[in-house]
Amino acid sequence: MPAQIDPFHAIGISTLAHRLKAEGASIIHMEFGQPSTGAPKAAIAVAHEMLDTDRGGYWESPALRARIARHYQETYGVSVAPEGVILTCGASPALVLALASTFNPGDRVALARPGYVAYRNTLKALHLEPVEIACGAESRFQLTAAHLAALDPAPAGVIVASPANPTGTIIEAAELEAIAGVCRDRGIRIVSDEIYHGLSYVGPARSMLEFEPDTLVVNSFSKYFSMVGWRLGWLLAPQRDLARARAYIGNLFLTAPTLSQHVALAAMDERDELEGHVAVYRANRDLLLAALPRLGLTQIAPPDGAFYIYADIGHLTQDSLSFCKDLLRETGVATAPGLDFDPVEGGHFIRMSFAVSTPEIQTAIDRLIPWFAARSAAAKA
């Protein structure tokens, strides 16, 4: 029987937002974690050139794999063999590839709750058992080594995300090292989702590869490199898993798009433009953090990185999905319900993405302040 998985409610919110926009409403899209910017200008120029000169085909760019490997040496001081870089059609296939080629049906895989909706549902779709660990303010909404040490029996694997979605929290180096140690001692394989690396406001995020070379690392060009629509990511697979992972990707996905690979290679050297995007996100984050008390939102996860605010709205509702729909219809601001990220406690959380333009953030704040004030007054009445 096919696995039963939950819908991704933010997609429904976005569908409603686009319908309202088509009807003439002014919409600010803060429901998805996607940059409002496109690929770097120089990379787009490469795309135009390749459209005229490269017919495309099933291909994996040796130059791009080597450039990604160099990135790990330069950024983290970690040696990665280019042949260990597997290019994928985004981070989602990289996650499927990591899980399907590493674990057996029925294996238990731990993950934080709240966490990215697709972790739980991809595990279920692959007939793996999600072991969700409740992570609240006491652990900064993140997994810890103590959480993993307390699991009995030990799971076969764990998904670690730093910076995390939906919270933006970053796991500090000492805790990553402790997690790696527990996993090594207990035979727990680590899948590290590092898709938000490069988007940090408290110092650089550390790669799990620095502490455990046996880690499977998932990453993508969608977030920092602003290439969402190009659908390109990668998996770093240890030598022990490489042949099996390549067999899986060859049969399940063939290769990543040729054009996207050319564009990505150029994008990796456009750091000035990309860091300009990060500066915008930082400014947007600062504006939201300053405005949140005026919205009555005082309980939030620490937004160390990524581009999210994960806020407790429990004083206003226990139904975050209906809340987000009302908010969208009445203000034009689209947000994501916490129910996506936490099926237990998510009814009283929402996630707001600040990966839009700064003027849009200011407009959103101007709309949200009176709306939240009215909601708060109604809740107290």
Side-chain angles (χ1 to χ4, degrees):
M1 182 177 181
Q4 297 298 307
I5 65 173
D6 302 318
F8 193 164
H9 295 294
I11 294 176
I13 294 289
S14 188
T15 300
L16 173 60
H18 283 286
R19 192 189 81 204
L20 293 172
K21 184 176 182 178
E23 293 171 356
S26 170
I27 302 297
I28 300 175
H29 288 281
M30 299 171 69
E31 75 275 27
F32 282 154
Q34 61 180 12
S36 58
T37 52
K41 294 180 180 63
I44 294 295
V46 169
H48 285 288
E49 179 185 351
M50 288 299 121
L51 283 171
D52 291 333
T53 61
D54 184 1
R55 65 179 178 83
Y58 298 132
W59 176 70
E60 191 179 36
S61 169
L64 180 56
R65 288 164 56 194
R67 181 64 184 86
I68 291 172
R70 178 159 67 88
H71 165 73
Y72 279 87
Q73 183 64 59
E74 294 172 347
T75 306
Y76 308 107
V78 172
S79 179
V80 171
E83 58 268 22
V85 179
I86 303 175
L87 301 175
T88 61
C89 301
S92 296
L95 177 66
V96 170
L97 179 61
L99 297 175
S101 66
T102 303
F103 302 108
N104 297 312
D107 278 351
R108 301 166 67 249
V109 178
L111 63 158
R113 177 172 60 76
Y116 179 44
V117 57
Y119 297 155
R120 178 189 339 117
N121 287 329
T122 301
L123 287 167
K124 289 180 180 179
L126 294 173
H127 298 282
L128 300 169
E129 181 182 346
V131 179
E132 294 192 284
I133 299 173
C135 298
E138 72 287 345
S139 66
R140 304 180 73 255
F141 297 88
Q142 274 285 11
L143 282 176
T144 65
H147 284 135
L148 294 173
L151 291 179
D152 185 20
V158 61
I159 300 174
V160 176
S162 174
N165 179 6
T167 61
T169 54
I170 289 176
I171 303 175
E172 295 182 354
E175 191 63 42
L176 285 175
E177 186 173 22
I179 290 171
V182 169
C183 290
R184 199 176 304 117
D185 292 343
R186 305 196 74 194
I188 302 170
R189 295 299 306 277
I190 302 173
V191 177
S192 183
D193 184 350
E194 301 181 1
I195 191 173
Y196 294 102
H197 276 218
L199 304 176
S200 174
Y201 316 105
V202 296
R206 303 287 292 274
S207 174
M208 184 58 86
L209 277 180
E210 299 176 60
F211 309 101
E212 177 48 68
D214 204 36
T215 299
L216 295 111
V217 174
V218 171
N219 210 323
S220 169
F221 286 92
S222 291
K223 310 300 184 180
Y224 176 78
F225 295 99
S226 202
M227 289 178 55
V228 174
W230 297 88
R231 306 314 305 136
L232 187 64
W234 69 87
L235 174 70
L236 301 184
Q239 187 61 43
R240 63 184 275 195
D241 301 304
L242 192 53
R244 186 170 57 255
R246 287 207 169 276
Y248 269 70
I249 193 170
N251 283 280
L252 294 177
F253 303 113
L254 290 175
T255 63
T258 301
L259 184 62
S260 300
Q261 295 180 59
H262 289 301
V263 171
L265 181 60
M268 292 195 76
D269 292 322
E270 296 302 314
R271 294 291 171 158
D272 288 346
E273 184 174 341
L274 296 169
E275 287 299 316
H277 298 166
V278 179
V280 171
Y281 305 149
R282 184 186 299 276
N284 293 351
R285 171 182 178 269
D286 291 346
L287 282 172
L288 275 175
L289 290 178
L292 288 178
R294 298 174 66 190
L295 303 181
L297 303 181
T298 59
Q299 303 296 319
I300 66 168
D304 303 327
F307 28 55
Y308 302 121
I309 299 290
Y310 193 63
D312 191 334
I313 54 169
H315 59 298
L316 299 175
T317 187
Q318 298 295 313
D319 183 357
S320 60
L321 180 57
S322 294
F323 184 92
C324 288
K325 289 179 180 178
D326 290 345
L327 176 62
L328 172 59
R329 290 189 181 101
E330 295 170 23
T331 71
V333 178
T335 58
L339 191 63
D340 270 337
F341 313 102
D342 185 341
V344 179
E345 301 291 337
H348 59 92
F349 283 89
I350 62 169
R351 189 197 72 179
M352 295 182 280
S353 169
F354 49 84
V356 294
S357 70
T358 300
E360 285 178 302
I361 288 290
Q362 190 58 66
T363 300
I365 290 170
D366 293 342
R367 295 179 186 180
L368 294 176
I369 288 173
W371 191 86
F372 271 84
R375 277 281 170 140
S376 182
K380 293 175 182 177

